[in-house]
Amino acid sequence: MIFLNYWVLACCVTATVYPLAAQSNQSAPTSSEVPSTAASNTQLTQSVDDLVEAARAASRADQNYASTALFAQAINQAPERRREWLPEYADQLLYSNQSTQAIPLYQEVLDAPRSQDEKRRSLNGLGNAYLWTDRPSQAREFFEALLREDPNNQEVQRSLGRALSWSGRQREAITHLQQYLRDHPEDQEARVQLAQSQAWMGRQDFAVKTLEDISADRAGARKLHAELERAIAPRTVVDARQSSQSDQVNIRSLRLGHWLNFSNARGAVGLQLEQTEYEREDHSDSIQVSRPMLSGRYRLSDGFEINTEIGRERISPRGSAVQEANVYSSWLTWWPNDIVRFDLSSSRSSFDNLQSLRLGVTANQNALSIDFTPSERQRYNAKIESANYSDGNARLGNQLQAEYRFFSRPEVWVGVKHTRFAFDQQTNNGYFNPLSFHATQLTLRSNWHPDGPDGRWDLASNLAIGSEHVQPDGNKPTSDLSLRAAYKLDAETRLELRLQRFSSRTQTLGFSRRALELTLARTW
């Protein structure tokens, strides 16, 4: 009510001032028709002060957007007093979800602060503005600077932990929050933040322990409790996929998998059953492949995790004897810190074409992958791999990729990828086997939650487009497009549809594939 009264008063005062100004341009009034210059200035000052008081009243009533409009109007009417109101105006922009507009105003104040309190206020405002515009790495600098000025500020200690965690620096966030909680063990909000950072680092087992003494009714804790329960619960996935290829082969597969977690999701074991059929469009040939697989995962420490899958593949070609082969895939992940990740992998697998399957060709592959993430907006990857084929062939290759995030809502990444490999020989045994290959592609991927990060919808797209050079076939355009739409039927059930189209061909040469995949996943 107070805010409404100020608003009406401000509007009335403004309405009085502007008609008088307009009249003065039309005729020369007598002294009895208009107030003196001194009286006019007094009236204008009163009007501006009323606007500022109305803006402050709106702020106290949590009407931050209305407050920004009133501050802007006051500054427009009295620009000589702009610096006086600038800190308050920046605060209201921040609290009305206009953080981008607030940043240059806070910076202006910080460049020439009039007091120590104003400097601290600007540092805190800049930190929150960068944090709320998904630039936590930049927010970190201002929170750290503020803590040097005011080391006992508990709110800023929590904000720094949040900035570290949101920028992917989970180990740093955990170290910071643990040190803070040793001095302030009663701070339940910081303890929830610590558990969230532990969960994001992949240590759900630590997160569960951290939340033991915190009520699930506490803000933030309820959501994290639910997320941890789903991470620990058994999980079942049913997946159906169908694809058609330019070599006139259709592929249909059905996969059922079930995983059990142990030690509060520190490890997991699972069983997957997959049945795949390869068939020519004219039905002249077909092969069925069944593949039962046992899988396991275990987090050895904060820095190491091991994953493995092993099974026996049964290949049943039409009109030919059944063949069997052991297949596996395993990889060791090492995080020496929050910025670098190494993956060392080894696998043995068959191929997805009729000729290679009939010949029983398999490949033993080894690879080393390195990821470098200097900030939440940059990602770099380098990979080297080698493969030895059961028909005596061998391949050596590498890949480099760089990405930059241009937008965060929706999330949009733009990048470039270069791939290169070479074979020892050409064998004509069904699999893609040029003497040499190199391709450079531009990449674009996006992720969008139309109804918010906690909503039911999750939409994503991936595009890679460029050209490749193959010896002996020459240059060809290449593209790979996939679209994914996922919907949460309820908190435990997720339905996902994925479409993909890959092409690496001219009118007469090359290969293309179209695929449709439907996945239903549920935690129990």
Side-chain angles (χ1 to χ4, degrees):
M1 190 67 184
I2 294 174
F3 164 61
L4 181 60
N5 290 337
Y6 275 124
W7 178 270
V8 172
L9 177 60
C11 291
C12 291
V13 171
T14 304
T16 301
V17 172
Y18 283 118
L20 289 174
Q23 290 174 13
S24 67
N25 292 330
Q26 295 175 3
S27 60
T30 65
S31 59
S32 62
E33 292 176 316
V34 297
S36 66
T37 301
S40 297
N41 290 338
T42 300
Q43 186 178 33
L44 180 59
T45 300
Q46 182 181 5
S47 173
V48 169
D49 288 338
D50 286 339
L51 282 173
V52 172
E53 195 55 43
R56 291 168 178 163
S59 173
R60 291 191 294 270
D62 293 328
Q63 300 290 333
N64 304 110
Y65 192 84
S67 180
T68 63
L70 290 165
F71 270 120
Q73 188 176 352
I75 290 171
N76 184 59
Q77 291 190 25
E80 70 280 0
R81 298 179 65 185
R82 175 179 177 276
R83 181 60 181 80
E84 174 187 344
W85 302 317
L86 203 57
E88 293 177 273
Y89 183 33
D91 284 344
Q92 295 312 304
L93 287 169
L94 176 68
Y95 299 139
S96 59
N97 295 321
Q98 301 178 77
S99 300
T100 301
Q101 293 91 322
I103 288 173
L105 304 188
Y106 280 126
Q107 190 62 60
E108 182 180 342
V109 175
L110 184 62
D111 289 342
R114 294 179 173 178
S115 67
Q116 192 68 11
D117 286 342
E118 195 173 74
K119 178 181 179 181
R120 292 177 179 178
R121 179 178 187 171
S122 299
L123 286 170
N124 191 52
L126 279 166
N128 284 315
Y130 279 114
L131 190 64
W132 296 350
T133 53
D134 295 312
R135 288 177 280 181
S137 293
Q138 292 171 271
R140 171 185 182 172
E141 302 172 13
F142 296 101
F143 292 136
E144 288 177 335
L146 181 53
L147 286 175
R148 288 193 291 270
E149 300 280 335
D150 186 10
N152 296 319
N153 191 316
Q154 294 183 234
E155 179 185 350
V156 179
Q157 293 280 5
R158 290 191 296 268
S159 295
L160 177 57
R162 195 172 291 115
L164 291 168
S165 184
W166 289 9
S167 62
R169 303 294 185 260
Q170 306 306 337
R171 289 190 188 181
E172 292 185 64
I174 290 168
T175 299
H176 169 75
L177 290 167
Q178 286 175 335
Q179 182 177 350
Y180 167 73
L181 284 166
R182 280 195 291 269
D183 298 328
H184 303 277
E186 77 289 346
D187 194 329
Q188 299 295 290
E189 183 179 348
R191 196 166 297 279
V192 173
Q193 284 183 246
L194 173 60
Q196 182 67 83
S197 294
Q198 291 168 331
W200 283 345
M201 192 177 69
R203 297 308 305 263
Q204 287 85 356
D205 52 328
F206 287 168
V208 169
K209 187 175 181 180
T210 299
L211 285 181
E212 280 180 349
D213 299 327
I214 298 178
S215 171
D217 294 331
R218 182 176 181 82
R222 184 186 302 109
K223 177 184 175 184
L224 184 54
H225 271 291
E227 291 175 353
L228 291 172
E229 287 176 0
R230 286 193 292 273
I232 294 168
R235 183 169 181 263
T236 302
V237 175
V238 180
D239 182 273
R241 178 182 173 92
Q242 180 169 334
S243 62
S244 58
Q245 303 180 162
S246 58
D247 60 1
Q248 312 304 311
V249 174
N250 295 327
I251 305 173
R252 293 177 291 275
S253 67
L254 181 65
R255 179 174 63 98
L256 172 65
H258 187 71
W259 289 265
L260 298 173
N261 293 289
F262 60 89
S263 299
N264 286 329
R266 183 173 183 176
V269 293
L271 173 64
Q272 298 178 71
L273 302 174
E274 184 174 354
Q275 183 77 26
T276 305
E277 182 182 30
Y278 303 81
E279 185 177 32
R280 290 202 178 277
E281 289 184 357
D282 60 6
H283 309 293
S284 61
D285 192 13
S286 66
I287 294 177
Q288 290 192 350
V289 179
S290 59
R291 188 182 296 116
M293 301 284 289
L294 289 173
S295 63
R297 176 190 62 80
Y298 191 71
R299 188 66 176 253
L300 301 170
S301 67
D302 287 352
F304 288 92
E305 181 175 278
I306 188 168
N307 286 263
T308 187
E309 298 176 345
I310 186 169
R312 188 161 180 83
E313 200 169 67
R314 182 181 175 87
I315 303 171
S316 305
R318 183 194 299 177
S320 300
V322 172
Q323 305 175 52
E324 294 189 351
N326 294 324
V327 292
Y328 70 91
S329 176
S330 62
W331 60 99
L332 176 68
T333 302
W334 175 37
W335 296 270
N337 51 51
D338 289 322
I339 299 175
V340 180
R341 166 178 171 161
F342 294 89
D343 287 279
L344 181 64
S345 62
S346 179
S347 66
R348 184 172 191 262
S349 60
S350 60
F351 293 88
D352 59 353
N353 66 84
L354 289 168
Q355 185 176 352
S356 296
L357 288 169
R358 280 192 172 275
L359 293 172
V361 180
T362 59
N364 293 313
Q365 302 182 69
N366 299 294
L368 173 64
S369 176
I370 305 172
D371 291 286
F372 177 57
T373 54
S375 76
E376 70 277 359
R377 288 176 172 261
Q378 302 172 64
R379 292 180 181 175
Y380 305 93
N381 173 264
K383 182 178 181 180
I384 57 173
E385 61 177 359
S386 65
N388 293 305
Y389 293 68
S390 59
D391 61 1
N393 208 351
R395 187 188 70 190
L396 183 65
N398 59 74
Q399 185 179 89
L400 298 173
Q401 185 170 7
E403 288 185 300
Y404 184 81
R405 192 186 74 188
F406 273 88
F407 303 102
S408 55
R409 300 179 187 177
E411 191 172 358
V412 178
W413 292 80
V414 178
V416 62
K417 178 171 64 176
H418 180 76
T419 307
R420 181 181 296 269
F421 60 81
F423 282 89
D424 284 353
Q425 56 184 310
Q426 286 189 289
T427 61
N428 194 29
N429 283 336
Y431 55 88
F432 183 49
N433 181 202
L435 285 175
S436 66
F437 170 96
H438 63 86
T440 301
Q441 295 174 302
L442 296 177
T443 62
L444 175 66
R445 62 185 180 92
S446 65
N447 188 241
W448 181 39
H449 298 88
D451 48 354
D454 299 322
R456 291 180 177 267
W457 284 101
D458 179 8
L459 307 178
S461 65
N462 284 272
L463 173 65
I465 186 167
S467 64
E468 64 181 36
H469 178 79
V470 181
Q471 184 183 357
D473 292 339
N475 294 325
K476 293 192 296 290
T478 178
S479 64
D480 190 358
L481 172 65
S482 65
L483 303 173
R484 175 177 59 80
Y487 183 76
K488 292 180 183 177
L489 301 176
D490 54 44
E492 291 78 29
T493 311
R494 174 184 169 105
L495 183 65
E496 180 176 304
L497 176 67
R498 183 171 180 264
L499 304 172
Q500 183 184 23
R501 185 184 187 280
F502 171 81
S503 176
S504 173
R505 62 180 290 118
T506 62
Q507 292 183 346
T508 58
L509 293 173
F511 176 80
S512 66
R513 172 184 287 174
R514 296 186 303 275
L516 170 66
E517 185 174 5
L518 185 65
T519 303
L520 179 65
R522 180 174 176 81
T523 57
W524 304 94

